[in-house]
Amino acid sequence: MRTRLHALVATVALGIGGTAVAQGSTMDEIAKYREMLADGNPAELLEMKGEALWKKPRGPRSASLEQCDMGLGPGKLEGAYAQLPRYFADTKKVMDAESRLVHCMMTLQGFSETEATKNWFSKPGQDSDIEALITYIGGQSNGAKINVPARHPEEARMAKVGEYIFYRRSGPQDFSCAICHGQEGKRIRLQDLGKLTSQAGAGAAMSTWPSYRVSQGAVWTMQRRLIDCMRQARWPEPSYLADSIIALEVFLQKTASGTVMQTPGIKR
Amino acid sequence: MADPMKIRASAKEGVTEVKVLMSHEMETGQRKDSSGNLVPAHFITEVTAEHNGKQVLAAQFGTAISKNPYLAFKFKGGAKGDKLAVSWVDSKGDKRSDEVLIG
């Protein structure tokens, strides 16, 4: 009996050692997998589609989006995504890339908000113009540094609101963003969880969206990512372009500021 | 009509490396939609590549190939400024051809 128990203890100890080794190499293998994927990122196809949509006259006014001001002046897209969200004097609101794009679709092209946001994400057999346009706009900031200092009082207020939401525990599981994303070196199943309260952690996360998700076969925008985080935390799902989501984006972009964008990204 | 491909081709020391990203659903015909009906098969069956009008690659594709296929290959020859064309045909007879200049 005693010998058997000893043997069992030895097996358990070995088992733990084995898992630790396997974990390290699994992470390496995942990194290799990502590297292979990056060479043929299907998001580039969507980027091309988004560029065509940006330049094409559409909507009731048959206008293109080329005069859209994403914060750096009409039609200036290079580096624009990296400095969003920001305060816009014309709408008196802090807007992210997606809410600003929808604003342009409404003011320049004459779409109603319902029409513009009807297919804000794609499903099998149903394309999303917003997804394509945001992939293109995001790609135009590839190599730019994230720069959201949130100095304007409205931006500073949104950053505060975002920080509050990040730490606020609520919902049926009494869950907050910080439970998964407030510590170093945590993971869920095989996914590393970024510590989004540090510049490195927030930078790694924010610099790679919009991102092609291999598991979904689609590009996800930041709005979709965050709304789905809420769903996973069993919170009520915010509606598309909700201020709560934009506030979280301001908080995360402010923390990530200084990180170089690598867009469009590719993820599991 | 099918969406454009993204093609990159670069010549180095007498060898041209080609990287092609194709936009296609690549439905296997074995998947069911949310109401339980089979999603009909729809996939690329043939891919060809031509360098200045001369075929350098012919491939048969099937259902084992992923959505939005990525294909990379090398061939001997090719110089900067040469034309490289890639075409595909799918199971419904849809076609797409795109062309780039080798860089």
Side-chain angles (χ1 to χ4, degrees):
Chain A
M1 188 66 200
R2 174 143 291 205
T3 2
R4 214 185 272 171
L5 193 67
H6 271 282
L8 191 70
V9 170
T11 319
V12 169
L14 258 180
I16 292 166
T19 314
V21 171
Q23 222 171 73
S25 66
T26 306
M27 287 306 167
D28 290 349
E29 290 305 315
I30 289 177
K32 256 192 246 169
Y33 167 71
R34 287 210 178 108
E35 222 170 274
M36 284 163 74
L37 287 173
D39 213 12
N41 185 351
E44 290 177 15
L45 294 169
L46 211 63
E47 226 182 330
M48 287 162 67
K49 196 176 162 191
E51 183 175 6
L53 281 171
W54 180 264
K55 293 174 178 166
K56 190 178 162 195
R58 299 192 318 139
R61 284 196 208 135
S62 182
S64 82
L65 286 164
E66 286 162 304
Q67 286 306 306
C68 179
D69 181 358
M70 298 293 289
L72 298 177
K76 293 224 169 78
L77 283 188
E78 223 167 280
Y81 190 97
Q83 47 90 55
L84 289 169
R86 60 170 285 162
Y87 177 79
F88 284 89
D90 56 356
T91 54
K92 297 191 172 59
K93 274 186 85 171
V94 176
M95 301 171 100
D96 68 348
E98 289 167 72
S99 53
R100 191 65 188 174
L101 170 67
V102 169
H103 169 78
C104 285
M105 289 170 83
M106 289 162 64
T107 52
L108 296 174
Q109 300 184 312
F111 286 113
S112 72
E113 190 175 359
T114 323
E115 281 165 350
T117 59
K118 197 176 66 184
N119 296 332
W120 67 271
F121 65 90
S122 64
K123 294 177 190 150
Q126 179 192 290
D127 290 346
S128 161
D129 291 348
I130 288 188
E131 231 169 59
L133 283 160
I134 287 295
T135 308
Y136 169 59
I137 296 166
Q140 292 295 302
S141 279
N142 186 26
K145 271 190 186 162
I146 296 175
N147 180 25
V148 180
R151 278 197 208 102
H152 188 281
E154 274 304 302
E155 294 167 359
R157 191 175 71 94
M158 285 296 257
K160 264 259 173 291
V161 173
E163 186 176 11
Y164 176 79
I165 295 171
F166 187 85
Y167 287 103
R168 174 85 161 91
R169 291 171 63 147
S170 52
Q173 311 264 40
D174 196 24
F175 224 64
S176 76
C177 308
I179 288 177
C180 289
H181 291 292
Q183 303 167 73
E184 211 75 69
K186 294 285 166 192
R187 60 181 178 83
I188 183 164
R189 285 165 295 178
L190 280 173
Q191 290 304 112
D192 288 317
L193 292 168
K195 185 189 175 195
L196 299 182
T197 51
S198 71
Q199 192 215 12
M206 300 305 283
S207 61
T208 48
W209 294 92
S211 197
Y212 184 82
R213 295 200 54 198
V214 178
S215 58
Q216 315 289 323
V219 169
W220 276 34
T221 65
M222 199 67 227
Q223 284 267 343
R224 187 169 183 194
R225 172 65 277 171
L226 289 172
I227 291 171
D228 201 58
C229 285
M230 304 292 193
R231 182 191 65 79
Q232 286 172 319
R234 308 292 185 266
W235 284 17
E237 275 177 60
S239 51
Y240 185 51
L241 309 181
D243 279 339
S244 57
I245 296 295
I246 296 173
L248 265 173
E249 285 179 61
V250 177
F251 170 62
L252 294 172
Q253 284 283 78
K254 187 185 171 198
T255 315
S257 283
T259 313
V260 175
M261 297 273 293
Q262 296 166 41
T263 41
I266 188 158
K267 291 173 196 288
R268 173 190 66 95
Chain B
M1 201 192 68
D3 289 327
M5 282 176 255
K6 178 142 191 169
I7 309 172
R8 277 165 291 195
S10 57
K12 203 179 156 193
E13 289 159 9
V15 175
T16 303
E17 186 176 25
V18 184
K19 295 175 178 176
V20 192
L21 198 53
M22 294 162 244
S23 179
H24 204 284
E25 278 301 317
M26 298 298 283
E27 276 297 345
T28 61
Q30 307 204 48
R31 232 166 42 85
K32 285 177 181 166
D33 64 15
S34 48
S35 39
N37 302 315
L38 273 184
V39 181
H42 183 207
F43 55 91
I44 294 174
T45 53
E46 276 172 55
V47 179
T48 54
E50 288 181 354
H51 164 233
N52 281 343
K54 184 182 159 249
Q55 196 171 81
V56 289
L57 174 125
Q60 293 178 336
F61 272 28
T63 53
I65 292 174
S66 77
K67 177 178 176 171
N68 298 327
Y70 170 67
L71 171 72
F73 65 94
K74 291 174 183 174
F75 68 91
K76 259 189 200 164
K80 266 192 182 119
D82 286 1
K83 268 187 195 165
L84 187 104
V86 180
S87 314
W88 56 252
V89 180
D90 73 17
S91 54
K92 287 185 184 167
D94 283 347
K95 286 175 193 175
R96 175 87 210 181
S97 293
D98 289 284
E99 201 176 85
V100 288
L101 296 179
I102 297 174

